[in-house]
Amino acid sequence: MSDPNFETMTRKPQSPPSARLPRKLDPNVDAMIGAKLRGYYDGLMAEPVPDRILELLAKLDAKERLEPTRSETGE
Amino acid sequence: MSGPTREFTRQLIESAPSLRAFAISLTGNVERADDLVQETLMRAWANSTSFAVGTNLKAWLFTILRNAFTSQFRKRRREVEDADGDYAATLVSPAEQEDKAALDDMRDALGKLPAEQREAVLLVGASGFSYEEAAEICGCAIGTIKSRVNRGRAKLAELIYGPDWSGEVG
């Protein structure tokens, strides 16, 4: 496993994607952080999308119906 | 010029919750986040022809949102000395969470990360992107993303559990 030096931001040849988590952070702590982060994020994902965004999406969808694409009209 | 397909618009609709979660986590401000999401959706719709069908729409949308945020952030930083200063103050908490205090910890800690570490941690650790995808979204090398994720997570551990928990942070 090649070791990225975490201090540098130089563009060395990219290490393989398998070189994963920091050695410096205890794996158990890292797992706790990961779980906490996902818990936080899942809470946000579960929030209802506010009306103004739903209205925008509905408008875009309606616009699409009025101005169908070429591929859909077969032109 | 042809407009987006129905399928494209349908995918925009589907992507709204995940775009929003990313935007809220990035900005720490629900109003700003919703502005960003709106801008992202409009830009995506208007530029749908530049999206290569068959490639990753989610990554494309996140790139648009991230770039919009970054340019606003730079602009704000010129205007206000500390662009992160309002992060925690205005953030709305997720509704009815069982472990609200714990989630508040994470929210506050994210707000204290440098923006580039925050986005890297969120893309890889929460939004489900690979390092490679995250590097493309942020326009940097994979090694840079890994470094930011590692440092960001170590910093989160330090902020949440205290310096003794985080190991030797560079």
Side-chain angles (χ1 to χ4, degrees):
Chain A
M1 182 160 50
S2 65
D3 174 26
N5 174 352
F6 298 120
E7 297 314 303
T8 59
M9 296 279 225
T10 53
R11 286 199 197 193
K12 57 199 153 168
Q14 291 167 354
S15 43
S18 57
R20 298 208 75 202
L21 290 173
R23 292 193 192 148
K24 289 177 179 177
L25 186 58
D26 181 303
N28 293 323
V29 178
D30 193 65
M32 283 158 69
I33 286 293
K36 217 172 162 73
L37 183 63
R38 284 188 297 275
Y40 164 75
Y41 209 74
D42 288 348
L44 295 179
M45 293 271 292
E47 280 192 13
V49 175
D51 288 346
R52 65 165 160 141
I53 290 176
L54 294 177
E55 281 160 17
L56 169 71
L57 287 164
K59 250 185 243 173
L60 295 179
D61 192 43
K63 212 169 165 185
E64 167 50 38
R65 280 170 216 238
L66 291 171
E67 305 163 25
T69 62
R70 285 165 190 227
S71 59
E72 283 170 347
T73 52
E75 284 170 23
Chain B
M1 194 159 90
S2 60
T5 62
R6 295 298 308 280
E7 171 64 12
F8 182 87
T9 309
R10 189 186 64 73
Q11 287 184 20
L12 288 190
I13 293 168
E14 274 182 14
S15 70
S18 61
L19 281 173
R20 199 168 170 263
F22 183 52
I24 293 173
S25 310
L26 270 187
T27 62
N29 179 314
V30 170
E31 281 294 307
R32 261 185 88 197
D34 286 338
D35 287 346
L36 268 176
V37 172
Q38 261 188 316
E39 189 182 337
T40 301
L41 293 170
M42 286 192 287
R43 279 195 198 180
W45 202 83
N47 294 289
S48 67
T49 49
S50 67
F51 171 70
V53 176
T55 60
N56 190 339
L57 180 67
K58 187 183 170 193
W60 187 68
L61 293 172
F62 272 62
T63 306
I64 295 174
L65 192 146
R66 185 261 173 197
N67 289 344
F69 171 69
T70 304
S71 55
Q72 283 180 16
F73 182 83
R74 288 202 190 109
K75 201 170 154 213
R76 276 170 79 92
R77 186 141 63 175
R78 284 199 296 274
E79 289 162 1
V80 192
E81 197 51 40
D82 174 16
D84 274 343
D86 64 345
Y87 188 96
T90 46
L91 187 60
V92 173
S93 4
E96 299 300 323
Q97 293 297 338
E98 277 186 11
D99 195 357
K100 193 171 166 303
L103 296 179
D104 285 350
D105 285 352
M106 177 53 74
R107 182 199 69 195
D108 294 344
L110 280 170
K112 288 176 184 149
L113 291 189
E116 59 186 27
Q117 288 178 22
R118 188 189 312 145
E119 69 182 6
V121 161
L122 290 168
L123 288 170
V124 174
S127 302
F129 289 107
S130 66
Y131 284 117
E132 198 174 357
E133 289 167 328
E136 270 186 39
I137 290 169
C138 299
C140 63
I142 294 185
T144 306
I145 283 292
K146 284 181 184 167
S147 165
R148 288 175 184 171
V149 169
N150 291 338
R151 294 207 281 171
R153 288 173 77 113
K155 178 81 177 165
L156 287 178
E158 185 190 331
L159 289 164
I160 293 171
Y161 300 117
D164 295 344
W165 283 86
S166 58
E168 317 152 39
V169 179

